Amino acid sequence: MEKEVHEQYEYARRRLRQKKILYFHFVLFLLGSLFLFIANRFFGFGANTDQNWCIWGITIWFFLFILHFIKVYITDRFMNKKWEREQIDRLVALQQKRISQLESKINEDTDNKI
C-alpha cells in the first residue's frame, strides 16, 4: 500500500511541476509579446520591412504555447502511468496469445510427423 501512496505522490508532484512550468511559459509569453510589440512600435525595430514581424513572432510563440498547453492538459492527463500499464498488459497478453498459438502449431506439426 505504501508503494501506491508513493506513486500517487510522485504523479501529483510531476503534474504540479508541469502546470507550474506551463504557467511560467504563459507569463513569459505575455511579457515577451509585450516586449516585441513595444520594440516594433515605439523603438522602430524592423521598421525597414513591409511586414509586421512582431505579429509573426507572437503568432508562432502562441502556437508553441498552445502545443505546450495541449501536452500538459490533454495528452499527459490521459496518457499517464495507468494508461501505460494497461497498454503494456494488453501487449503482453497479445504476445502470450501469439506464443501459445505458435507452440500449439509446433506441437501439431511434430505430432503429424511422428
Side-chain angles (χ1 to χ4, degrees):
M1 187 64 152
E2 187 175 313
K3 181 181 178 185
E4 184 176 313
V5 172
H6 181 68
E7 285 180 2
Q8 289 173 348
Y9 172 77
E10 287 297 320
Y11 173 75
R13 193 167 64 88
R14 186 175 55 85
R15 290 288 295 159
L16 181 63
R17 185 171 184 271
Q18 285 179 334
K19 290 178 182 181
K20 184 178 176 182
I21 291 171
L22 179 69
Y23 296 149
F24 177 75
H25 186 183
F26 180 69
V27 170
L28 188 64
F29 166 71
L30 288 178
L31 293 175
S33 298
L34 182 64
F35 173 75
L36 290 175
F37 181 76
I38 290 172
N40 186 35
R41 289 283 183 208
F42 300 113
F43 295 116
F45 288 117
N48 56 355
T49 62
D50 292 335
Q51 294 182 347
N52 202 355
W53 64 271
C54 75
I55 299 299
W56 283 103
I58 292 169
T59 303
I60 292 170
W61 198 348
F62 180 71
F63 178 72
L64 293 174
F65 174 74
I66 293 297
L67 290 177
H68 189 182
F69 179 85
I70 289 170
K71 181 185 182 314
V72 170
Y73 280 101
I74 296 174
T75 306
D76 285 352
R77 185 175 186 185
F78 296 111
M79 294 182 183
N80 53 20
K81 289 282 188 187
K82 181 181 176 186
W83 180 83
E84 287 179 11
R85 282 190 206 117
E86 290 172 357
Q87 294 300 313
I88 289 171
D89 291 342
R90 185 180 65 83
L91 291 173
V92 166
L94 286 173
Q95 288 175 346
Q96 291 297 331
K97 181 180 176 184
R98 182 68 180 146
I99 289 171
S100 65
Q101 288 175 346
L102 289 173
E103 285 176 347
S104 65
K105 186 176 180 182
I106 289 172
N107 288 339
E108 286 177 12
D109 288 346
T110 56
D111 289 342
N112 289 338
K113 287 182 181 179
I114 294 179

